[in-house]
Amino acid sequence: MTPLPLIYNPAARGGRSRVPQKALSQVAEAFGFALELWPTRAPGHAEELAADARKQGLPAVAVWGGDGTYNEAARGLCNGETAMLPLPGGTTSVLIYELGLSRKPLEALRQQLAGSPRKLHLGRTDRGQVFLLMLSAGPDSLILYNLPWVLKRYAGKVGITLQAVAEFFRAQLPAFEVRGNGTTLSAGWCIVGNSRFYGGPFPATPGADPFRPGLEAVVQTRRGRLSAIPFFFGIPFGRHLQQKGVVRFAAAEVSLTGEGRIPYQLDGDPAGFLPVTARASEDHVWVWLPA
């Protein structure tokens, strides 16, 4: 049988996300694959493991975890022939929604092994970082930057919600500028999407498509709590795009600049501080999609 490494994060969901090894092995064997467990030991290790699978010339590597783990694996597989098979094992696993996969890991693996390969384009920053889903700056990146690791690891979405309440009532929320398509906008929040979904099955940037190069930016030009709160709660219902001060545009490059230490995030993890430029790219990773 062909080896199928399963890269997994033992700390996903605070260690509560147990890999059903026997059941997954049975699914893999039905398609001619022998499942092998490859646990990560530290942040960034998934990239090394994925790169190793690529060097071995393996056709695919399964990745159990959340969007941060998928991002690491994509870096190791970037522009190679080894495909990534993401399995839902993280707090949110937004990529699973984007690919139209089941939230049940066994069914998600079965769907992919029975499916066909497709090239998923990656976004890039001017710092060489990649993103599968999106880059954003605003209250969300502030929440993630200030989120204690204990809350993220052991409380999951509940911890993020508690931190969100704290950040929304701080004295000052981020204010910065967004440049794209020859226009400069004042902003309190900006989501630059390489894919549609954000925070769950919520199409924050519905015009984005990871299967073609290009980005979509959604910018909240109004600043402060009175605009941030309805924007945030409007995303699950698609109402954020109809709110006053929201500008939406497609672009190959979007730059965010601001004064002070304004954090930004990539695929749900803090990634640095402004300024940063997000760019569409021809860089890609292969995925297997349901038939």
Side-chain angles (χ1 to χ4, degrees):
M1 287 191 176
T2 304
L4 177 62
L6 173 60
I7 298 173
Y8 72 99
N9 178 6
R13 294 178 182 170
R16 301 184 304 277
S17 185
R18 304 297 181 186
V19 176
Q21 179 182 1
K22 183 176 180 181
L24 288 173
S25 294
Q26 291 173 345
V27 172
E29 288 172 5
F31 290 90
F33 290 93
L35 195 74
E36 300 177 357
L37 293 186
W38 291 12
T40 61
R41 295 191 300 268
H45 191 209
E47 179 180 357
E48 297 178 28
L49 294 175
D52 188 41
R54 175 183 171 182
K55 290 175 183 177
Q56 293 182 37
L58 298 179
V61 57
V63 183
W64 172 285
D67 295 301
T69 307
Y70 305 151
N71 183 293
E72 288 187 18
R75 297 199 300 261
L77 299 174
C78 182
N79 298 329
E81 297 300 319
T82 301
M84 177 172 67
L85 311 181
L87 301 179
T91 301
T92 309
S93 302
V94 178
L95 183 62
I96 298 299
Y97 295 110
E98 183 63 47
L99 300 183
L101 299 173
S102 171
R103 299 295 297 179
K104 299 178 180 178
L106 299 182
E107 181 59 25
L109 181 60
R110 186 179 293 110
Q111 287 176 314
Q112 292 175 91
L113 293 178
S116 56
R118 195 167 178 191
K119 185 184 293 185
L120 187 150
H121 289 275
L122 302 171
R124 278 274 186 189
T125 74
D126 55 342
R127 303 181 185 185
Q129 300 160 307
V130 304
F131 56 99
L132 292 157
L133 302 168
M134 52 76 191
L135 177 152
S136 73
D140 59 345
S141 59
L142 199 63
I143 290 165
L144 293 172
Y145 177 73
N146 291 325
L147 179 66
W149 72 269
V150 173
L151 277 182
K152 182 176 182 180
R153 180 168 183 175
Y154 295 105
K157 291 182 180 180
V158 174
I160 294 174
T161 301
L162 292 174
Q163 191 65 34
V165 172
E167 296 301 335
F168 277 129
F169 286 96
R170 285 181 182 269
Q172 187 172 358
L173 293 177
F176 51 96
E177 290 189 341
V178 177
R179 294 196 305 274
N181 286 351
T183 301
T184 300
L185 301 169
S186 296
W189 201 328
C190 177
I191 303 172
V192 183
N194 184 57
S195 74
R196 296 168 295 167
F197 295 114
Y198 170 97
F202 312 128
T205 49
D209 183 353
F211 297 105
R212 60 173 175 79
L215 305 171
E216 180 175 67
V218 171
V219 184
Q220 169 58 269
T221 63
R222 302 172 71 193
R223 301 172 176 178
R225 290 189 293 273
L226 294 181
S227 58
I229 292 175
F231 182 83
F232 178 78
F233 287 105
I235 291 175
F237 306 99
R239 297 173 185 164
H240 62 301
L241 298 176
Q242 286 75 48
Q243 292 180 14
K244 183 178 179 180
V246 173
V247 178
R248 172 188 177 192
F249 60 88
E253 181 174 300
V254 181
S255 296
L256 289 70
T257 60
E259 297 181 359
R261 289 171 62 84
I262 300 175
Y264 68 92
Q265 58 124 334
L266 296 173
D267 293 347
D269 283 327
F273 298 92
L274 304 189
V276 67
T277 296
R279 294 172 177 150
S281 78
E282 292 291 343
D283 294 323
H284 66 274
V285 62
W286 288 97
V287 294
W288 288 351
L289 295 185

